[in-house]
Amino acid sequence: MIDYAPLEVWFLTGSQHLYGPETLERVAEHSRAIVDGLNGEGGLPVRVVFRPVLTTPEEISGTLGDADADPSCIGVVAWMHTFSPAKMWIGGLTRLRKPLCHLHTQFNRDIPWSSIDMDFMNLNQSAHGDREFGFICSRLRLSRKVVVGHWQEPAVRRRLGVWMRAAAAWHDSQRMRIARIGDNMRQVAVTEGDKVEAERRFGYAVNGYGVADLMERVDAVTEKQVDALCEEYADSYALMQGLEKDGAKHGSLREAARIEAGLRALLEEGGFHGFTDTFENLGRLRQLPGIAAQRLMADGYGFGAEGDWKHAALVRTMKVMAHGLDGGTTFMEDYTYHLDPSDPAILGAHMLEICPTVAAGRPSCEVHPLGIGGREDPVRLVFDAATGPAVNASVIDMGTRFRLVVNTVGVIEPLEALPKLPVARALWKPRPDLETAAEAWILAGGAHHTSLSLALTPEHLEDFAAIAGVEFLLIDDETDVRVFRNELRWNDAAYGRIAPLP
């Protein structure tokens, strides 16, 4: 469901005819060598494509226009090998809609002290050629990523890879479709939002579907399909006693399988990339989808509970960015605190729907009462999350703009066993500490729903926010609440805010 293979990033090199054909041949030769090196040993997630050296306004405009029109191109990397007068770039850059990364590097790493002459200096002018390009990007108010360092350095390649993943997620967002099955949970504020502005800003479309649309697919599921899914459950998970074939609760497993097959059919028929549901709009569904939502997330779908379409889209976006990386990504919710002053932590979970890609071991497939929704006991996967550094992210609608709030956390093992909590869960320590992180999160208006990823870093999300042109707030080891309050004030001034009611 997520595939980087068809995607590519174009490598654009700027120069000018002033230096003559011999120098331009060397420029092209060096550019090809950089592209080959990045593709060969760079460990980059997306293929880099060499494009002819750009020396005139017409070439620049034409190439950038081609990049915009090519559905395989997810962004462009620009590098000025020599001086490239930046007025030549105005026309192309002002029309560019694909993500832009400015690679500030040079072909050679070291100065050849004993042999350097003016020919070498004329060829290797990135030190000031890229500054000329940087000025015009700033003058045009272009959002872009700037990566500085020699192109063979691992740190440079890592940052290029991070940007490529953000660009791939942006590419996915432009065609993303989210199905809202039912409506939002009643009276909840943070799950609401402007779907028109979301489509304008992020590209994805959110549309509503009745539970009856889902039930048509559920009713059409065959017993053979149910049998196959139940066998898959038994092979993949540790079945709770009674869920096995001929067990007392096997009927619940079959109903969960029927719901999964129907939900999967609805999503595949509609070309959807994510979905929401809510326990307040279940119609004829006999169970709230639990294992169905978990397994669909594991396959790459975004999910948001209680109609939270913004986090369904965010989960999908983060899964695209994390494709191929170690560590999982899931829908999450801050549920309850452990406020021991010596060892505070947050227990995250949801009623049912945590993605098994974050599981520490083999999940257990269980059925238990839910106590909410008024339906039959739902089937779900139960597990503890894997441990390690992670990010918790939330996207909210502030009325005048979208805001992406990110907190770095460390997921740890539960401090004690949780024998009576039959849901998937994660225990984490927020950075810099629980009190500071929670205060900053609440001041920022961060939602109780989040997307938790053990695969991504704040840089991935910051790059995506920059591409999308949305506000980004980071809560990490450096966070000071007084400074954070000022950042909120500065951002209100920068982005505009709604005046308070009289």
Side-chain angles (χ1 to χ4, degrees), residues 128-421:
H128 70 287
D130 276 329
R131 282 171 167 76
E132 169 78 352
F133 184 75
F135 163 74
I136 203 61
C137 290
S138 294
R139 176 65 176 80
L140 297 174
R141 307 297 194 270
L142 295 181
S143 177
R144 77 281 191 193
K145 180 164 188 168
V146 179
V147 177
V148 180
H150 192 253
W151 56 277
Q152 290 179 316
E153 287 297 318
V156 168
R157 293 173 170 183
R158 182 196 64 77
R159 295 196 69 208
L160 281 174
V162 167
W163 172 81
M164 286 179 175
R165 290 181 177 280
W170 179 251
H171 176 76
D172 181 78
S173 186
Q174 304 312 294
R175 60 188 181 87
M176 189 191 303
R177 300 186 66 205
I178 302 294
R180 289 176 66 237
I181 301 171
D183 205 337
N184 291 66
M185 181 178 172
R186 300 173 195 126
Q187 305 297 337
V188 177
V190 77
T191 58
E192 299 286 355
D194 187 338
K195 295 189 289 294
V196 172
E197 181 61 18
E199 188 163 351
R200 188 186 79 85
R201 174 59 60 187
F202 295 104
Y204 60 74
V206 182
N207 291 298
Y209 295 84
V211 181
D213 296 309
L214 172 57
M215 286 308 305
E216 287 182 15
R217 279 73 177 183
V218 173
D219 290 341
V221 173
T222 66
E223 294 303 311
K224 184 177 180 180
Q225 288 176 282
V226 172
D227 290 341
L229 264 180
C230 287
E231 290 178 10
E232 187 174 335
Y233 295 163
D235 291 339
S236 303
Y237 317 115
L239 291 187
M240 174 184 180
Q241 186 175 0
L243 286 180
E244 70 278 1
K245 190 174 184 180
D246 299 325
K249 298 183 177 181
H250 186 68
S252 295
L253 191 72
R254 295 187 66 81
E255 186 61 26
R258 193 179 305 279
I259 291 172
E260 179 184 335
L263 182 53
R264 192 177 292 273
L266 175 68
L267 297 176
E268 289 176 350
E269 289 170 22
F272 296 109
H273 302 82
F275 67 102
T276 71
D277 62 22
T278 175
F279 62 88
E280 289 183 324
N281 295 116
L282 293 178
R284 289 195 295 113
L285 280 175
R286 290 168 54 186
Q287 297 179 17
L288 177 64
I291 191 172
Q294 291 176 294
R295 284 168 49 85
L296 285 162
M297 268 193 286
D299 288 341
Y301 286 95
F303 171 76
E306 289 91 49
D308 194 345
W309 52 268
K310 296 190 298 301
H311 283 90
L314 181 62
V315 169
R316 166 67 182 187
T317 290
M318 291 174 65
K319 282 185 173 289
V320 172
M321 281 193 280
H323 177 62
L325 297 177
D326 293 334
T329 299
T330 181
F331 174 76
M332 183 55 73
E333 178 172 279
D334 295 66
Y335 230 100
T336 194
Y337 290 137
H338 183 64
L339 291 177
D340 179 351
S342 66
D343 201 17
I346 297 176
L347 181 63
H350 203 256
M351 293 185 295
L352 303 171
E353 311 94 345
I354 303 300
C355 179
T357 60
V358 302
R362 189 185 191 204
S364 173
C365 182
E366 303 181 13
V367 59
H368 299 276
L370 183 60
I372 196 169
R375 292 296 190 273
E376 296 176 5
D377 299 345
V379 176
R380 81 293 301 270
L381 300 176
V382 178
F383 54 84
D384 292 320
T387 60
V391 290
N392 227 355
S394 172
V395 63
I396 52 176
D397 186 344
M398 293 298 292
T400 57
R401 80 270 192 187
F402 289 100
R403 170 181 284 171
L404 180 60
V405 187
V406 176
N407 185 200
T408 58
V409 305
V411 183
I412 62 174
E413 293 181 359
L415 304 179
E416 296 183 26
L418 298 161
K420 295 185 178 181
L421 185 63

Side-chain angles (χ1 to χ4, degrees), residues 430-445:
R431 304 289 188 252
D433 54 69
L434 193 152
E435 292 83 358
T436 301
E439 183 176 352
W441 189 276
I442 289 170
L443 287 171

